[in-house]
Amino acid sequence: MSPAARLRGLKPDWISDPKVWRTEVLAGLVVALALIPEAISFSIIAGVDPAIGLFASFTMAVVISLVGGRRAMISAATGAVALVIAPLNREHGFGYLVAAVVLAGVFQVALGALGVAKLMRFIPRSVMVGFVNSLAILIFVAQVPEMRDVPWAVYPLIIGGLALMVFFPKITTVIPAPLVSIVFLTVITVGAAIAVPTVGDKGALPSSLPVPGLPDVPFTFDTLSTIAPYAFAMALVGLMESLMTAKLVDDITDTHSDKTRESIGQGIANIVTGVFGGMGGCAMIGQTMINVKVSGARTRLSTFLAGAFLMVLCIVFGPLVSDIPMAALVAVMIMVSFATFDWHSIAPKTLRRMPAGEIAVMVITVACVVATHNLAIGVVVGSITAMAVFAKRVAHLAEVTAVVDPDGTTVVYRVTGELFFASSNDLVGHFNYTGDPDKVVVDLSAAHIWDASSVAALDAVETKYAQLGKTVDITGLNHPSADLHSKLTGELAGSH
């Protein structure tokens, strides 16, 4: 390959393809508009000035576009992070909040380097489906307050916005339908002087860029011990939401992302955000769905521009942005909610075929997330439930069958299945200790030993036969099982 061809291969798609460039730019603009009211709302949850949330969204999006591992994913100030750090801000002040954001970033870099992203493979599909569906529900529920106790004109505006987003793509997909809807509804409300809630009613937009600085806290061990629990909680919640979102985008785009790089990137983004006085954040699933699923973005450019446009809209076009009716953004988020929900997962045909345990895991995940408004809690509870269901199912797969030799001197017990703590507990009861002949063979060629509990159970079987003067010969162990058995047998006295 020539140097020129190699250089062309290194160029991002949007440089050489005007169509991609247009899609990414317009997607970034739509996301930026959708970020503004959300960032202000999360600032209120955290108990800080609206500008703090907007600054966080700006720095998170710009930095993660450069250092993150998942292209086209949007990171910004989020409700989950706001809920974690709100008590710290309330009890100790804003300086401690900023210090916690920086420390959370350090924790995320460390956890990413230690390989925390590899834990994602232990999250089963039923939890992932529950995560997606609960997210869709939360996005919709978050719009409900914007539809209560409002002028009647809000409702036709929302319906009109939804209709535009459904039918406009049938005319052309060159311009994202959400952008058309926002512009059209803004023109109508401003031109006709319709009095409805606007973005400006959420809070004042910043008029200048954030400046870097150190947190205004004493650099002592007491400060560290105060912020560390909040920072660690924020790091875990942020990583879990970000990695789950990255996996979701992987599935939607049928592409792979570097989860370790994403974990470290989230940490770097939070460190930068804290240095610039932001409230921290993580991946935003709703805005990511706008970017990837609704607008069709696929590159880092859309993520970068979402942050850049956010500050331009606030600083340069603040008065104009303040006039955008909330009804327009509510319509966009309702559309996102509808598009995000996995409708196939609740179809009667799917439910009839799905194992009851997996349906239960999905429902429990959704219930936990909706009840706590915390996606991380739902994922943890759902994963634990899935593990319990799996253990219960696999425990019944271990079977023991006995065959006595014709001469009556030997009995062969053939063990089939997976031997671990749940299945091996019943193993001891499958043998006829008093009625068996003097020689007993336990054939494990169709089984696998997974843990110390299984070795302890086999030791117990040998001990019971030995007490009756009978010998036991364990055969057929595969290599990993033989290694584990040889290391632990005879060393677990009293453990069974």
Side-chain angles (χ1 to χ4, degrees), residues 19-255:
K19 184 179 178 182
V20 173
W21 187 87
R22 182 180 63 239
T23 299
E24 300 296 311
V25 171
L26 292 175
L29 180 58
V30 174
V31 172
L33 289 168
L35 277 174
I36 293 173
E38 296 260 315
I40 295 173
S41 298
F42 298 146
S43 300
I44 294 169
I45 292 172
V48 298
D49 187 89
I52 304 302
L54 291 164
F55 287 156
S57 296
F58 162 60
T59 53
M60 287 294 297
V62 168
V63 175
I64 206 67
S65 71
L66 303 174
V67 300
R70 173 64 260 177
R71 292 180 297 172
M73 191 166 78
I74 305 296
S75 290
T78 60
V81 168
L83 287 169
V84 170
I85 60 177
L88 179 63
N89 180 61
R90 187 168 56 248
E91 295 170 18
H92 298 279
F94 180 66
Y96 281 80
L97 181 151
V98 173
V101 171
V102 174
L103 183 58
V106 173
F107 282 145
Q108 288 178 328
V109 171
L111 289 169
L114 290 171
V116 70
K118 294 177 182 176
L119 296 176
M120 283 299 295
R121 67 177 183 267
F122 293 107
I123 298 178
R125 183 185 178 281
S126 51
V127 173
M128 191 68 194
V129 172
F131 170 82
V132 170
N133 289 347
S134 57
L135 161 69
I137 293 169
L138 286 186
I139 292 173
F140 181 82
V141 169
Q143 311 314 310
V144 173
E146 305 296 338
M147 296 184 280
R148 285 181 181 158
D149 302 320
V150 292
W152 68 268
V154 167
Y155 303 110
L157 285 173
I158 292 174
I159 294 170
L162 289 170
L164 271 171
M165 284 183 283
V166 170
F167 295 110
F168 187 80
K170 299 181 187 301
I171 301 171
T172 179
T173 56
V174 171
I175 304 174
L179 180 59
V180 173
S181 177
I182 291 169
V183 171
F184 187 74
L185 295 186
T186 302
V187 170
I188 288 177
T189 53
V190 173
I194 301 173
V196 291
T198 63
V199 170
D201 296 331
K202 287 286 182 181
L205 303 181
S207 56
S208 62
L209 289 170
V211 293
L214 293 175
D216 184 18
V217 295
F219 289 86
T220 63
F221 181 76
D222 285 342
T223 300
L224 180 62
S225 61
T226 299
I227 66 174
Y230 295 96
F232 192 66
M234 175 184 160
L236 291 178
V237 168
L239 281 181
M240 188 172 294
E241 289 211 23
S242 299
L243 293 175
M244 291 290 286
T245 305
K247 189 173 186 301
L248 178 60
V249 177
D250 288 354
D251 294 341
I252 292 171
T253 61
D254 197 24
T255 58

Side-chain angles (χ1 to χ4, degrees), residues 344-390:
H344 176 71
S345 67
I346 61 169
K349 184 178 179 181
T350 304
L351 294 176
R352 281 195 299 269
R353 295 181 176 181
M354 191 74 67
E358 295 203 24
I359 295 174
V361 169
M362 181 182 71
V363 171
I364 288 170
T365 303
V366 171
C368 285
V369 172
V370 173
T372 63
H373 282 230
N374 190 319
L375 291 161
I377 291 176
V379 171
V380 170
V381 173
S383 297
I384 292 172
T385 304
M387 290 175 191
V389 169
F390 174 76

